[in-house]
Amino acid sequence: SAQKEADTRQMLDRMIRVDHAGEFGADRIYAGQHAVLRNSSVGDLIQQMWDQEKHHLATFNKLLPEHRARPTALLPLWNVAGFALGAGTALLGKEAAMACTVAVEASITEHYNDQIRQLANTDKEAHKDLIEIITKFRDEEQEHHDIGLEHDAELAPAYQALSGAIKVGCKAAIWLSERV
Amino acid sequence: MSASCRSLIKLQKLRIFPKAAQTLSCGARVNIFPTNQNRSYCAEVKKEATNEPKQDTEDVKSEDKRPEAEAKRTDTWAEAELKEKEDKQRRQKEADREQTIKVEILNASMKYVTKHGWSKLALASGAEDLGYISIVSGLFDRGGEELVLHHIKTSNKKLDAWMIEEVDRYKKAEEKLPITKFIKAATKQRLLMNEEFIRGGVWGEALALMAKPQNIPESVGCLQQVCDDIWHRAGDTSADLNWYSKRMLLAGIISSTEVFMIQDLSQNFEETWKFLDRRFEDISGVPQLGK
């Protein structure tokens, strides 16, 4: 059971690290989008979604020392890459910005679902609080995804290619942040 | 006989695919099931075929057989699963027992280290104290290095317990924890746990053993652990790269002071504490530390 404890510790350590990295990246993506589109018709919408992400990031900033998890060493990379992705897609137009939102939020929702399943399979009672938090965040990310679709994400140029590329990038970022 | 049957019999003779050959002997229609289940199922089918008189039509009989055979098959699987779980539990218990014995021997061997160094001889002497024969020291394939690691890990645990008490003390006195002072005190406390071996002249050997390439992952891991413990108890809540800079700077201070301490002959290690103060001064200029 010492082995089981060590396994649980490693699982939690990875989860909190990757979630923290994810919310940090999402915060930077919205910052990039807002920097370009702040005066457009979707400026307020982006601001609203950004505020919710800021709340997510603050929660994980608190959870990190609570669980004695290590933050990912790639934070400076996600800082730059997130802002570049947000600003880049925003420069392609507001539909592209929404497409980026849709792709990122879809990735994150799937990732949170996997985590909830993993936590529930390990020990539902012990991880009740964490499951609750992640469920709430997953629902909010799903909301962002739906808002993005409502606002003409699919009318973006090369929507399938853009969306596919962003999802692959998110998967790679998740894999790296879990380990580095 | 078909070509496939002939080839399977050839394989049986060659003993390459004995399981496939068993399938053949049961009857080709059942070879989709896993082998041991296959055999019991075949056994059931054969028994039922010989016991019951062939009165009803073939279709009705095969349908009657199927739910019973089905139930029996599930039982065999459940049994196998249960047996596997019991096996796993038994192996876990044995591993735990071996671990407990190892820890007892390590604890008992500590007092022989200044006499025999970090060696299997010290382990054998400790084992003999506990009533085991000396050859039990063969449990430790890395010999003396496991003694060093054991000392490091138990000292780290003792330090953690000491730090928890200190933090409680400050909390009861309702004072704010002075971070630099606390970290310095924790470092001193931890380094003093090596005193017995430094005075005995064997700590240099211990550090050299820990610097061997095959031991570096574990010894660096222990150093990381102790730095994380110290910063965590000091109340660090950083969630960015400061997490890394704080711990790495502390790791540098602790390891350099540890090496200095080996050659320090002063009273009560005064020179070492002065060295430690100078190291803390060096990093006080780093702004991120926010001490």
Side-chain angles (χ1 to χ4, degrees):
Chain A
S1 99
Q3 184 60 35
K4 210 161 116 189
E5 262 182 57
D7 286 341
T8 314
R9 280 238 63 230
Q10 199 214 26
M11 177 189 79
L12 282 177
D13 181 49
R14 278 189 173 182
M15 273 193 187
I16 309 256
R17 172 164 55 255
V18 74
D19 289 348
H20 174 256
E23 297 299 347
F24 181 80
D27 175 68
R28 298 311 299 153
I29 292 178
Y30 281 118
Q33 290 188 344
H34 189 256
V36 175
L37 292 174
R38 98 181 88 194
N39 294 319
S40 73
S41 56
V42 293
D44 283 336
L45 185 62
I46 294 180
Q47 179 71 52
Q48 276 175 31
M49 297 202 283
W50 190 12
D51 289 337
Q52 278 188 310
E53 297 295 347
K54 284 201 187 120
H55 167 68
H56 292 185
L57 182 59
T59 313
F60 278 112
N61 276 338
K62 264 202 321 253
L63 279 178
L64 208 65
E66 255 178 53
H67 283 89
R68 294 192 65 175
R70 166 178 71 85
T72 171
L74 298 171
L75 281 177
L77 178 61
W78 303 145
N79 190 343
V80 172
F83 194 89
L85 178 64
T89 47
L91 285 172
L92 288 174
K94 51 181 167 51
E95 290 83 17
M98 289 296 136
C100 168
T101 304
V102 166
V104 170
E105 302 294 6
S107 288
I108 289 194
T109 310
E110 189 189 325
H111 169 69
Y112 277 158
N113 277 334
D114 286 340
Q115 286 195 336
I116 294 171
R117 217 171 295 129
Q118 197 182 356
L119 282 171
N121 283 339
T122 319
D123 191 340
K124 212 186 257 190
E125 277 311 307
H127 303 134
K128 199 161 51 105
D129 295 328
L130 193 56
I131 293 181
E132 224 180 280
I133 293 177
I134 296 183
T135 311
K136 178 162 165 290
F137 288 0
R138 188 233 18 219
D139 294 338
E140 290 177 3
E141 306 289 6
Q142 181 71 44
E143 235 184 271
H144 293 178
H145 171 267
D146 297 337
I147 291 177
L149 282 177
E150 270 171 42
H151 283 82
D152 303 333
E154 285 163 332
L155 296 180
Y159 173 71
Q160 292 294 349
L162 191 63
S163 171
I166 294 177
K167 282 190 186 162
V168 166
C170 284
K171 270 217 172 65
I174 289 175
W175 189 88
L176 279 173
S177 300
E178 276 183 344
R179 285 153 186 84
V180 177
Chain B
M1 206 188 285
S2 73
S4 55
C5 295
R6 268 184 294 218
S7 47
L8 278 172
I9 289 184
K10 263 194 212 156
L11 289 170
Q12 186 182 23
K13 289 203 177 123
L14 286 174
R15 298 260 182 276
I16 294 176
F17 296 122
K19 287 188 180 157
Q22 281 162 6
T23 320
L24 175 65
S25 52
C26 276
R29 66 187 164 101
V30 297
N31 54 0
I32 53 169
F33 301 130
T35 315
N36 54 348
Q37 316 315 327
N38 187 14
R39 286 163 77 192
S40 57
Y41 181 66
C42 290
E44 293 310 315
V45 168
K46 273 197 185 145
K47 222 195 294 178
E48 282 170 13
T50 49
N51 290 346
E52 290 168 19
K54 280 192 177 177
Q55 281 172 2
D56 308 326
T57 63
E58 290 244 327
D59 296 320
V60 177
K61 216 202 295 188
S62 55
E63 282 193 20
D64 273 344
K65 276 188 238 169
R66 216 174 292 139
E68 278 182 45
E70 192 85 20
K72 288 205 171 84
R73 182 157 45 102
T74 326
D75 282 345
T76 323
W77 271 340
E79 267 176 45
E81 239 184 79
L82 194 62
K83 190 161 169 291
E84 219 180 284
K85 210 196 293 186
E86 283 175 4
D87 261 344
K88 197 163 162 225
Q89 275 180 351
R90 187 177 42 89
R91 266 177 288 158
Q92 185 64 39
K93 230 192 276 186
E94 275 177 30
D96 284 341
R97 195 171 136 259
E98 183 178 315
Q99 193 59 31
T100 322
I101 294 179
K102 275 175 131 173
V103 169
E104 278 176 16
I105 297 181
L106 285 167
N107 283 330
S109 309
M110 276 302 165
K111 54 179 177 291
Y112 293 101
V113 168
T114 37
K115 196 156 79 167
H116 298 306
W118 306 95
S119 61
K120 272 201 173 161
L121 186 52
L123 285 166
S125 315
E128 279 172 351
D129 266 2
L130 290 175
Y132 297 108
I133 53 173
S134 65
I135 213 150
V136 156
S137 65
L139 268 177
F140 306 97
D141 38 299
R142 280 185 300 176
E145 297 159 25
E146 303 222 11
L147 263 174
V148 181
L149 277 168
H150 175 73
H151 169 74
I152 292 179
K153 288 182 186 163
T154 40
S155 307
N156 289 349
K157 284 202 196 100
K158 269 194 267 177
L159 180 70
D160 204 27
W162 179 87
M163 284 195 289
I164 293 178
E165 270 179 35
E166 278 290 299
V167 170
D168 270 342
R169 198 167 58 84
Y170 277 102
K171 214 188 284 185
K172 282 204 180 89
E174 285 185 13
E175 285 168 20
K176 190 167 164 301
L177 189 79
I179 298 186
T180 318
K181 195 162 145 226
F182 177 78
I183 295 182
K184 246 191 228 179
T187 311
K188 266 193 205 164
Q189 191 70 21
R190 176 63 183 81
L191 291 170
L192 280 173
M193 292 181 194
N194 300 331
E195 179 178 3
E196 164 196 359
F197 304 114
I198 297 180
R199 296 273 187 236
V202 288
W203 194 242
E205 185 191 340
L207 288 182
L209 285 173
M210 287 296 99
K212 278 164 80 169
Q214 60 265 42
N215 295 330
I216 284 187
E218 222 175 326
S219 62
V220 169
C222 288
L223 181 60
Q224 279 177 351
Q225 183 66 38
V226 81
C227 292
D228 186 39
D229 283 344
I230 295 180
W231 270 112
H232 174 71
R233 300 287 170 209
D236 175 41
T237 53
S238 52
D240 52 6
L241 284 192
N242 282 335
W243 191 95
Y244 289 90
S245 34
K246 285 179 176 174
R247 281 151 184 79
M248 291 211 269
L249 286 169
L250 185 57
I253 294 177
I254 291 182
S255 44
S256 57
T257 315
E258 203 172 3
V259 172
F260 182 92
M261 208 167 163
I262 294 174
Q263 52 82 50
D264 184 13
L265 299 168
S266 58
Q267 187 77 282
N268 286 333
F269 294 113
E270 275 161 15
E271 292 298 316
T272 308
W273 309 140
K274 287 194 195 139
F275 180 89
L276 187 64
D277 287 336
R278 289 198 296 273
R279 295 290 72 72
F280 271 99
E281 267 172 41
D282 281 344
I283 61 167
S284 63
V286 180
Q288 295 114 310
L289 295 178
K291 281 187 186 165

